[in-house]
Amino acid sequence: MSRIGRPAKRNRAAYEEDRRFVSALARGLDVLRCFSASREWLPNKEIARLTGLPKTTISRLTFTLTALGYLRYSSERELYALDLPVLGLGHRALAHFEVGRIARPFMQELADSAMAAVSLGVRHGDVVIYVAHCRSSAPLTVGLDIGARLPLAKSIIGRAILCGMTEEARQAALAASDAERKHDLGQIKIARAEFSQHGFVMSDEKDDVGVVAVPLQIDGSRDLLGLNCGGPAASLTRDRLLREIGPQLGDTAERIKAAVRSRLDI
């Protein structure tokens, strides 16, 4: 089998002679390219074979990529797989994200029932990136789509993700963001109180858009996702979010988790 993860030799060799070419970065990307739908989990030995790099080099690269969150490691199987932050590297990865594919039927069911839009997002730094989005047939729905980026501390889905974090992780995430701390921390405090009481986070009744969101922890990943449901506040009133949509969204999140666990064997 031929080696994968590298451009054609003559092209890459020409670049490698340039002093601006960073070999360590190129090798790290070689490792990420080894994974595909048919090669979701790989050991260091197989990654070394596919890239043609020494196993000692691969061990250092996979350790570094795992530390940075681009790979996840199964200690029981001694295998690596791509992790969620890889989504931030490009729109094509977002569009083909496996968890989003599995989640989409459940999201569409809720979107149709609520006559709203349902989105799945993953935190990447101080933003949340949509990896799946479903709309109902309602004439007025939220217009964001796959690849949309929302500020972590200023969006309902971002605050839901923050609510699902440990205190240590939440403080680290806020410290790394450029949030307007006084206002945003106040909104996050309100969101945490709502989440503690109801299990979900809601938009303010004064907002033009009614949104409810929950954190979504996928087994085997260090990262939290967020799931939201939103639409015009005239139809998604705060009372409806509280009594109907919020509980339905929580149930949808649990169904997605179960489906991912079953289909991805994690």
Side-chain angles (χ1 to χ4, degrees):
M1 180 177 180
S2 61
R3 294 174 182 175
I4 68 169
R6 295 173 180 248
K9 272 191 174 182
R10 61 172 182 242
N11 295 332
R12 178 151 177 170
Y15 283 114
E16 287 176 339
E17 294 175 3
D18 193 313
R19 294 192 328 184
R20 295 170 297 177
F21 188 89
V22 182
S23 297
L25 174 59
R27 290 174 177 177
L29 295 175
D30 286 344
V31 170
L32 296 180
R33 292 189 187 102
C34 288
F35 298 88
S36 67
S38 61
R39 288 190 293 263
E40 294 183 10
W41 292 90
L42 295 172
N44 278 337
K45 181 179 180 180
E46 180 64 7
I47 296 172
R49 187 183 72 81
L50 291 169
T51 60
L53 296 171
K55 188 175 179 181
T56 53
T57 300
I58 292 300
S59 295
R60 293 195 297 270
L61 289 171
T62 53
F63 177 86
T64 302
L65 290 167
T66 302
L68 294 176
Y70 292 102
L71 293 180
R72 67 179 185 265
Y73 179 66
S74 170
S75 56
E76 295 180 357
R77 294 188 285 174
E78 298 184 341
L79 299 174
Y80 292 88
L82 294 179
D83 210 347
L84 296 175
V86 174
L87 296 176
L89 298 178
H91 180 78
R92 285 188 66 188
L94 293 172
H96 295 90
F97 183 40
E98 185 70 3
V99 172
R101 184 187 67 79
I102 294 172
R104 196 165 285 110
F106 302 99
M107 294 168 59
Q108 189 64 57
E109 181 181 339
L110 177 59
D112 293 338
S113 172
M115 293 300 288
V118 179
S119 301
L120 179 70
V122 60
R123 177 201 167 208
H124 187 67
D126 61 356
V127 298
V128 179
I129 303 174
Y130 278 179
V131 297
H133 182 73
C134 296
R135 292 183 176 91
S136 72
S137 59
L140 295 175
T141 56
V142 179
L144 298 178
D145 211 334
I146 291 176
R149 300 164 70 90
L150 299 177
L152 181 68
K154 301 176 187 295
S155 62
I156 303 302
I157 192 171
R159 291 170 190 160
I161 290 174
L162 288 168
C163 287
M165 292 180 174
T166 64
E167 182 63 26
E168 181 180 4
R170 182 166 46 249
Q171 292 303 321
L174 290 173
S177 73
D178 58 357
E180 297 172 5
R181 300 300 296 277
K182 185 175 181 180
H183 175 267
D184 291 333
L185 288 178
Q187 293 298 309
I188 292 168
K189 183 177 180 180
I190 293 173
R192 291 182 65 191
E194 287 182 342
F195 182 71
S196 177
Q197 182 177 1
H198 305 298
F200 47 81
V201 178
M202 296 179 288
S203 57
D204 190 271
E205 59 186 352
K206 298 178 182 179
D207 294 341
D208 293 332
V209 178
V211 183
V212 64
V214 295
L216 177 59
Q217 177 71 63
I218 300 298
D219 296 343
S221 171
R222 72 183 67 187
D223 292 286
L224 274 167
L225 288 86
L227 187 70
N228 71 4
C229 180
S235 59
L236 267 66
T237 63
R238 188 171 173 85
D239 183 67
R240 188 179 177 211
L241 293 176
L242 178 63
R243 300 180 183 278
E244 178 187 344
I245 308 300
Q248 289 179 355
L249 185 68
D251 179 66
T252 299
E254 290 302 316
R255 292 169 66 197
I256 290 172
K257 286 169 60 176
V260 171
R261 187 182 303 117
S262 173
R263 298 185 198 182
L264 297 187
D265 190 26
I266 58 176

